[in-house]
């Protein structure tokens, strides 16, 4: 390809245009000069030919030589010849305008004459020669006579030779051009200026604009419009440059944006690299490390030698390198993300790593991210341990126990052996836990777990189900006597006292046993039947063990059936609230009642509250049942406010489960506002079990309810551990003596004194006392003599349905109670 060369176009165009104008003008002058000169020569030659022809014609017609001078004078003198010579045939001069030449031979005067005579013929009698140096015409004319006789005469004129000088005319012409040269020069200048002007406006200026535009483009200054008008090549070039400028600006901005984006991405990547606890490699398909980015590598196993240029298999242990080789191959084949885990063992610690390999699109490279997952592995182990082990006792939990039981069942089937599943519940653990605190309770559970684990064989399993419930799995059992021996050993071990935090404890256990394959074939069935046997051991007086029997299965089936029926009873409104009257033992008038929940099933008949209330607590149905009792009781208070002339109080029992409901206070407050009752007519009875947890939610709820004006009563007083302390801590208005004290009051002097002390102490604290379980006249009289405030029991009135209770009130509400001679009609209503 030929190389293009560049010049200073503005300078050279100016010089070239000026030179061209000058050359043109000079050429024009020279051409004009030459044309004028040639025209002058031709015109002179024509005049000379005419004059000589005329002279020859006169000479031919006048043969006398005497008239030669006259003829020459008449024909040639007018042309102002510088010299005229006439010769004869011998070339002797017959006439000459120059003196002293007549009679001489013409050859001596003009040696070239002989050559000239050759070209003179009849057809061409005249010949001219022009000497450009001397600017002199030499003309020859041959006289041709028509009369041969005359023609042959030697003395007759034969040749005319003339010299005619153009020097004066050429000089005049030159002088003429010298006079007009300034006009030509002016014309040249005008042409040059015109050329320069045209060049400036149509060449220089556009080029300057284009140069300025190109300079701005060189400085990356884009999008500048040009001011070149017209439609020439420079305009097209300008438009193309402007388009190129716009394109370059767009491309430059895109490139700048791309660079900025790339920098931002680079910054983000650097931030990510620095924030992530990873090492990032860029490797080729052979595993050679091309790039390496370190994160916060405090826990990474990084060698001191640099990674770059090495292969992954060279910087890793053999087993890890093997994993990486397979992973690289798998990533190449599938193009998908490949994840591997490997372990690196050092002298003092083992670390686990996770590597993720991914192919970079449209590249022969892979990105590898390596992360230390040692902590994650440890956490997984902890989570896995928590999933299958109890965090407190470190014993297997329910899931692991059932899994082991399933494996034991498979092995027992193969070996035709027995398996025993023991369900253990620690007796009275809840009282210890609630009274002594959860910390002591946890230590008691840990100690119990150690006793159970140490008492069994290595291949046996002890597991904790939750709370104070444990299970034992006994395998490789030959007969049932072997099971009884182990059970007896466990029961006896728990009878021995032990110390926790310098306190001596004696706690027993209740153990229920189910045997594979006689009792059940599946893990869940075995566990369920062992649970039933444990409840049987509880009923036998605790601190013992019991094997599962079919009668227990019936009890278990009844429990399951009651759960199902309770759900349906709630949906079908089968529960009913009964009311048992309470008397003021001083005024002997009925002043209130206790709301009691009753359940009658069409199939099962009346179901005891002692049976379904604990079941409701366990299933959570007690919340809905409690709300139903509260709603019915408050509605009854509203009804009695309008029916009776005296205030009538109704007491409602609240279970521990209800106090765990955060909406309890709002629910009661809403019902009070809905039925617009006097809050002093509502009494809420709580047992010591509600207070044992010491929960702030219980404390806050009690004080909020008391601030509403609701009476707070402690139920079953005297059966717990810390009842006296609770009287000091909580805002109780009423204390209810447990019926067990009332039952033994007239047979035990100590119990009677204790009841009297409770009444006196309560009065001193400003607390009213109510005695429940009054079933005899003597009990009634004794309590009245002790100044007990209120009484309740079958002797005074049994629980009645809403309709019966309202009918009873209509008859006895205004009749005083004759303590000394109580009417049997009231007792038996």
């Amino acid at each position: 390809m030929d190389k293009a060369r560049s010049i200073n176009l503005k300078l050279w165009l100016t010089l070239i245009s000026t030179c061209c104008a000058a050359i043109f003008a000079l050429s024009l002058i020279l051409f004009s000069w030459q044309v004028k000169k040639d025209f002058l020569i031709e015109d002179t030659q024509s005049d000379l030919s005419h004059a000589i022809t005329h002279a020859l014609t006169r000479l031919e017609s006048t043969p006398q030589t005497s008239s030669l001078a006259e003829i020459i004078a008449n024909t040639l003198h007018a042309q102002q010849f510088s010299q005229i010579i006439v010769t004869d045939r011998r070339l002797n001069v017959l006439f000459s305008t120059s003196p002293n030449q007549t009679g001489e031979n013409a050859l001596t005067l003009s040696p070239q004459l002989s050559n000239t005579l050759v070209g003179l013929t009849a057809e061409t009698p005249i010949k001219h020669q022009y000497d450009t140096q001397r600017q002199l015409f030499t003309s020859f004319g041959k006289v041709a006579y028509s009369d041969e006789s005359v023609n042959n005469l030697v003395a007759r004129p034969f040749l005319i030779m003339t010299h005619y000088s153009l020097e004066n005319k050429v000089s005049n012409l030159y002088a003429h051009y010298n006079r007009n040269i300034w006009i030509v020069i002016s014309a040249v200048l005008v042409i040059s200026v015109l050329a320069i002007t045209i060049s400036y406006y149509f060449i220089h200026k556009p080029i300057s604009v284009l140069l300025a535009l190109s300079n701005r483009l060189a400085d990356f200054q884009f999008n500048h419009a040009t001011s070149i008008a017209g439609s020439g090549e420079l305009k097209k070039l300008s438009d193309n440059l402007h388009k190129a400028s716009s394109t370059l600006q767009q491309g430059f901005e895109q490139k700048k944006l791309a660079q900025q984006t790339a920098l931002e991405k680079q910054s983000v990547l650097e931030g990510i690299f620095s924030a992530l606890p990873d090492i990032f490699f860029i490797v080729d398909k052979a595993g050679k490390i091309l790039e390496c980015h370190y994160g916060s590598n405090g826990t990474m196993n990084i060698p001191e030698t640099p990674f770059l240029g090495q292969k992954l298999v060279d910087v890793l242990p053999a087993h890890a390198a093997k994993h990486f080789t397979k992973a690289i191959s798998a990533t190449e084949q599938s193009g998908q993300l490949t994840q591997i885990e490997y372990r690196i063992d050092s002298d003092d610690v083992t670390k686990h790593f996770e590597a993720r390999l991914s192919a970079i699109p449209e590249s022969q490279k892979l990105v590898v991210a390596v992360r230390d997952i040692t902590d994650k592995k440890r956490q997984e182990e902890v989570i896995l341990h928590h999933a299958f082990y109890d965090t407190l006792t470190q014993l297997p939990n329910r899931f692991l126990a059932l899994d082991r039981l399933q494996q034991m069942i498979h092995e027992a089937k193969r070996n035709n052996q027995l398996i025993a599943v023991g369900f253990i519940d620690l007796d009275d653990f809840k009282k210890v836990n609630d009274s002594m605190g959860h910390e002591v309770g946890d230590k008691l559970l840990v100690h119990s777990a150690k006793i159970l684990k140490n008492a069994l064989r290595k291949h046996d399993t002890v597991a904790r189900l939750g709370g104070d419930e444990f299970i034992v799995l006994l395998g490789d059992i030959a007969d049932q006597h072997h099971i009884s021996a182990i059970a007896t050993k466990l029961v006896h071990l728990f009878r021995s006292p032990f110390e926790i935090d310098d306190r001596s404890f004696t706690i027993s256990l209740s153990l229920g046993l189910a045997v594979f394959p006689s009792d059940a074939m599946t893990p869940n069935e075995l566990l369920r039947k062992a649970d039933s046997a444990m409840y049987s051991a509880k009923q036998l007086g605790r601190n013992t063990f019991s094997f599962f029997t079919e009668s227990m299965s019936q009890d278990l089936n009844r429990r399951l059936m009651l759960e199902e029926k309770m759900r349906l009873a709630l949906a079908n409104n089968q529960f009913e609230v009964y009311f048992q009257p309470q008397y003021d033992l001083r005024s002997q008038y009925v002043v209130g009642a206790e709301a009691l929940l009753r359940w009658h099933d069409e199939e099962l008949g009346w179901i005891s509250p002692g049976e379904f209330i604990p079941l409701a607590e366990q299933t959570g149905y007690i919340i809905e049942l409690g709300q139903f009792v509260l709603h019915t009781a408050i509605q009854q208070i509203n009804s009695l406010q309008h029916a009776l002339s005296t205030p009538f109080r109704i007491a409602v029992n609240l279970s521990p489960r209800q106090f765990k409901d955060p909406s309890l206070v709002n629910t009661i407050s809403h019902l009070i506002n809905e039925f617009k009752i006097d809050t002093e007519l509502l009494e809420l009875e709580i047992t010591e079990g509600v207070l044992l947890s010491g929960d702030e939610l219980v404390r806050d709820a009690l004080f909020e309810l008391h601030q509403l004006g609701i009476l707070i009563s402690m139920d079953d007083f005297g059966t717990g551990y810390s009842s006296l302390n609770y009287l000091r801590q909580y805002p109780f208005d009423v204390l209810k003596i447990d019926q067990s004290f009332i039952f033994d009051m007239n047979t035990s002097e100590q119990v009677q004194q204790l009841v009297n002390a409770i009444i006196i102490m309560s009065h001193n604290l400003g607390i009213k006392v109510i005695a429940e379980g009054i079933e005899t006249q003597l009990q009634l009289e004794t309590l009245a003599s002790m100044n007990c405030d209120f009484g309740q029991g079958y002797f005074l009135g049994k629980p009645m349905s809403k309709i019966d209770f309202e009918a009873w009130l209509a008859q006895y509400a205004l009749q005083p109670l004759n303590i000394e001679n109580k009417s049997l009609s009231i007792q038996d209503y």
Side-chain angles (χ1 to χ4, degrees):
M1 182 177 180
D2 295 338
K3 292 183 178 180
R5 302 183 183 276
S6 176
I7 59 173
N8 190 332
L9 192 59
K10 293 191 290 183
L11 174 63
W12 283 99
L13 280 177
T14 302
L15 292 177
I16 290 171
S17 61
T18 303
C19 291
C20 288
I23 292 171
F24 174 74
L26 182 61
S27 299
L28 184 63
I29 293 172
L30 292 177
F31 178 75
S32 177
W33 161 264
Q34 190 64 40
V35 170
K36 289 282 188 179
K37 185 178 178 182
D38 291 344
F39 179 75
L40 177 62
I41 292 172
E42 291 178 0
D43 187 57
T44 302
Q45 182 175 333
S46 176
D47 290 342
L48 290 176
S49 296
H50 181 73
I52 291 173
T53 301
H54 181 63
L56 291 176
T57 303
R58 289 285 304 275
L59 287 174
E60 289 176 2
S61 61
T62 307
Q64 293 84 2
T65 58
S66 58
S67 58
L68 182 59
E70 182 179 357
I71 293 171
I72 294 303
N74 292 334
T75 58
L76 298 178
H77 280 175
Q79 300 297 329
Q80 299 179 353
F81 290 99
S82 59
Q83 185 178 11
I84 301 174
I85 297 175
V86 179
T87 67
D88 58 11
R89 185 175 295 273
R90 292 177 182 170
L91 303 179
N92 293 318
V93 176
L94 298 178
F95 173 80
S96 176
T97 56
S98 299
N100 302 322
Q101 289 183 352
T102 303
E104 293 184 10
N105 192 296
L107 292 175
T108 61
L109 299 176
S110 179
Q112 72 272 20
L113 182 60
S114 58
N115 295 327
T116 304
L117 291 175
V118 178
L120 295 175
T121 61
E123 289 78 11
T124 309
I126 299 173
K127 189 174 182 181
H128 302 284
Q129 292 180 348
Y130 181 70
D131 187 350
T132 56
Q133 293 182 354
R134 294 187 299 166
Q135 299 178 0
L136 180 68
F137 263 109
T138 301
S139 303
F140 300 92
K142 180 180 178 183
V143 180
Y145 296 99
S146 57
D147 187 359
E148 288 295 328
S149 60
V150 178
N151 189 34
N152 292 326
L153 293 178
V154 177
R156 299 298 294 172
F158 173 75
L159 179 66
I160 299 177
M161 185 179 65
T162 63
H163 292 286
Y164 186 83
S165 178
L166 292 177
E167 185 176 0
N168 290 334
K169 291 184 176 181
V170 171
S171 296
N172 291 335
L173 181 62
Y174 183 75
H176 172 74
Y177 272 95
N178 282 338
R179 287 194 300 272
N180 295 324
I181 190 64
W182 294 110
I183 298 174
V184 175
I185 291 174
S186 299
V188 169
L189 290 176
V190 170
I191 293 172
S192 298
V193 169
L194 181 62
I196 291 172
T197 302
I198 293 173
S199 174
Y200 173 77
Y201 282 104
F202 297 102
I203 298 177
H204 294 184
K205 195 171 182 180
I207 289 177
S208 298
V209 172
L210 294 176
L211 283 175
L213 178 60
S214 64
N215 290 334
R216 287 193 293 269
L217 290 177
D219 294 334
F220 298 99
Q221 300 177 14
F222 305 110
N223 201 19
H224 291 278
T226 57
S227 58
I228 299 178
S231 59
E233 289 81 358
L234 294 179
K235 170 63 176 175
K236 294 180 179 179
L237 179 60
S238 171
D239 293 342
N240 291 337
L241 284 176
H242 180 64
K243 292 178 181 178
S245 173
S246 300
T247 304
L248 286 174
Q249 181 184 21
Q250 184 178 3
F252 185 77
E253 289 176 351
Q254 292 176 348
K255 180 181 178 182
K256 189 175 181 180
L257 180 61
Q259 290 176 343
Q260 183 66 28
T261 304
L263 289 175
E264 291 177 356
K265 289 183 178 179
Q266 182 67 22
S267 300
V268 170
L269 286 176
E270 290 178 356
I272 293 174
F273 290 147
S274 63
L276 292 176
D278 297 344
I279 300 180
F280 294 89
F281 299 106
I282 304 297
V283 301
D284 58 16
K285 296 293 179 71
K288 183 178 179 182
I289 302 173
L290 306 177
E291 295 183 33
C292 182
H293 300 277
Y294 293 85
S296 57
N297 48 24
T299 61
M300 299 296 283
N301 187 26
I302 301 174
E304 305 210 350
T305 56
F307 281 139
L308 295 180
Q310 299 189 55
K311 289 187 176 182
L312 283 173
V313 295
D314 297 331
V315 298
L316 293 170
H319 68 280
K322 185 177 180 181
H323 287 304
F324 268 99
T325 301
K326 292 182 178 179
I328 290 174
S329 177
T331 306
E332 289 179 2
Q333 295 176 2
S334 65
Q336 302 294 323
L337 177 70
T338 303
Q339 181 174 326
I340 61 173
E341 293 184 4
Y342 61 95
R343 186 187 74 257
I344 296 181
D345 299 318
S346 60
D347 295 336
D348 55 346
V349 67
T350 297
K351 288 195 172 184
H352 297 267
F353 296 90
E354 176 188 79
R356 297 187 177 190
L357 295 84
S358 179
I360 299 177
E362 301 179 0
S363 171
Q364 296 297 315
K365 302 176 183 178
L366 303 175
V367 60
V368 182
V370 179
R371 173 172 293 186
D372 185 348
I373 59 170
T374 304
D375 292 339
K376 177 184 175 183
K377 281 291 184 182
R378 291 172 181 168
Q379 291 172 0
E380 288 177 353
E381 291 175 358
V382 171
I383 292 172
L384 188 63
H385 184 80
H386 288 174
F388 293 102
Y389 288 87
D390 176 59
T391 56
L392 178 63
T393 62
Q394 302 304 314
L395 294 176
N397 60 14
R398 181 187 185 94
F399 301 106
L400 182 56
L402 290 176
D403 181 69
R404 289 186 180 180
L405 181 56
Q406 184 66 58
Q407 296 177 17
M408 293 172 67
I409 289 174
H410 290 316
E411 186 175 352
K413 287 180 179 179
R414 289 196 302 268
N415 300 328
N416 195 23
Q417 294 175 334
L418 301 179
I419 298 173
V421 176
F423 198 107
I424 297 173
D425 185 86
L426 301 181
D427 299 329
D428 294 326
F429 171 78
K430 187 176 185 304
K431 291 183 179 180
V432 175
N433 191 53
D434 292 340
S435 60
M436 306 301 295
H438 292 290
E439 184 178 356
V440 175
D442 289 345
K443 291 180 179 180
L444 179 58
L445 290 173
V446 173
H447 181 78
S448 301
K450 289 181 180 178
I451 294 176
L452 292 172
K453 191 172 182 180
N454 293 333
L456 299 179
R457 300 165 298 179
K458 289 185 178 180
H459 61 271
D460 294 331
T461 297
V462 181
R464 183 187 177 205
L465 297 183
D468 60 341
E469 295 179 340
F470 297 86
I471 60 171
V472 293
L473 307 179
L474 308 175
D476 192 17
I477 301 296
D479 53 49
Q480 193 159 333
H481 296 291
H482 191 187
I483 302 173
S484 299
I486 296 175
T488 302
K489 176 183 178 181
L490 293 178
V491 171
H492 285 172
L493 283 173
F494 273 81
R495 290 174 180 172
S496 303
F498 56 88
E499 289 189 357
I500 295 177
D501 294 342
D502 297 328
R503 293 186 180 182
S504 180
F505 290 88
T506 301
I507 191 168
S508 60
L509 62 77
S510 297
L511 171 61
L513 295 161
V515 180
F516 170 88
S518 58
D519 294 331
M521 300 294 291
T522 64
N524 286 321
E525 281 293 313
L526 284 169
L527 191 61
R528 185 171 63 85
K529 291 185 176 181
D531 187 15
S532 297
M534 185 272 296
Y535 276 104
S536 176
K538 291 278 189 186
Q539 294 173 0
L540 292 174
R542 306 183 179 186
N543 192 23
T544 186
F545 67 90
S546 176
F547 283 94
F548 176 79
T549 62
E550 285 303 322
S551 62
M552 297 177 189
S553 180
Q554 294 174 2
D555 294 340
L556 180 60
N557 291 335
R558 176 175 174 82
R559 183 181 175 189
L560 295 175
M561 180 179 62
L562 285 179
E563 288 185 15
E564 178 63 21
K565 285 186 172 292
M566 184 179 295
R567 182 179 63 82
L568 296 174
L570 283 169
N572 299 327
N573 298 319
Q574 292 181 359
F575 287 96
E576 188 177 357
V577 176
Y578 274 49
F579 299 93
Q580 186 175 22
Q582 295 176 343
Y583 274 88
D584 186 334
L585 299 186
R586 292 177 182 174
S587 66
Q588 301 185 18
Y589 282 97
V590 61
V591 292
E594 180 179 6
L596 301 170
L597 187 63
R598 295 293 183 262
W599 179 17
H600 183 270
D601 183 76
E602 294 180 356
E603 179 183 354
L604 301 178
W606 289 102
I607 302 171
S608 169
E611 185 178 13
F612 75 79
I613 292 295
L615 187 60
E617 283 275 0
Q618 295 175 9
T619 58
Y621 292 142
I622 194 67
I623 299 294
E624 191 173 350
L625 289 173
Q627 291 177 352
F628 166 70
V629 174
L630 277 170
H631 184 276
T632 305
I634 293 175
Q635 186 179 28
Q636 186 66 33
I637 293 173
N638 174 266
S639 176
L640 295 176
Q641 278 185 156
H642 299 88
L644 300 177
S645 58
T646 57
F648 195 88
R649 185 181 69 253
I650 293 182
V652 178
N653 286 282
L654 293 180
S655 71
R657 191 73 175 264
Q658 283 179 275
F659 268 93
K660 294 181 181 180
D661 181 10
S663 63
L664 174 64
V665 176
N666 290 334
T667 300
I668 296 174
S669 178
H670 175 74
L671 290 172
I672 290 173
N673 294 329
E674 179 182 356
F675 292 101
K676 297 179 176 55
I677 68 167
D678 186 353
T679 54
E680 293 183 353
L681 300 180
L682 177 62
E683 179 182 330
L684 299 179
E685 296 183 0
I686 63 171
T687 61
E688 187 180 350
V690 175
L691 306 175
L692 286 174
S693 65
D695 197 332
E696 289 295 328
L697 185 64
V698 174
R699 175 185 295 272
D700 294 342
L702 283 176
F703 277 94
E704 287 182 36
L705 292 170
H706 191 264
Q707 288 174 358
L708 291 175
I710 299 172
L711 300 179
I712 307 298
S713 173
M714 176 179 281
D715 196 11
D716 300 333
F717 183 81
T719 59
Y721 290 92
S722 306
S723 298
L724 294 177
N725 191 39
Y726 295 143
L727 293 178
R728 180 179 61 86
Q729 293 180 0
Y730 296 99
F732 287 107
D733 301 291
V734 180
L735 184 148
K736 199 170 190 179
I737 302 175
D738 187 70
Q739 60 183 353
S740 61
F741 289 92
I742 308 302
F743 181 79
D744 296 330
M745 184 177 59
N746 295 115
T747 60
S748 172
E749 180 65 24
Q750 291 180 339
V751 174
Q752 186 173 356
Q753 292 299 325
L754 184 58
V755 171
N756 188 45
I758 292 173
I759 295 173
I760 295 173
M761 176 196 66
S762 300
H763 287 165
N764 290 335
L765 294 174
I767 299 175
K768 299 290 185 180
V769 179
I770 181 171
E772 65 175 344
I774 300 175
E775 297 183 354
T776 65
Q777 180 74 30
L778 181 58
Q779 292 171 349
L780 179 63
E781 293 173 355
T782 303
L783 290 169
S785 66
M786 292 179 180
N787 294 322
C788 182
D789 299 290
F790 307 104
Q792 172 186 345
Y794 267 71
F795 184 72
L796 300 176
K798 65 180 181 180
M800 294 168 275
S801 66
K802 180 178 181 296
I803 297 175
D804 291 342
F805 181 65
E806 289 177 349
W808 184 89
L809 277 178
Q811 183 175 354
Y812 296 105
L814 299 179
Q815 293 185 13
L817 175 66
N818 186 357
I819 295 179
E820 296 180 357
N821 188 16
K822 181 178 175 297
S823 172
L824 293 179
S825 61
I826 298 177
Q827 179 185 358
D828 299 330
Y829 189 87

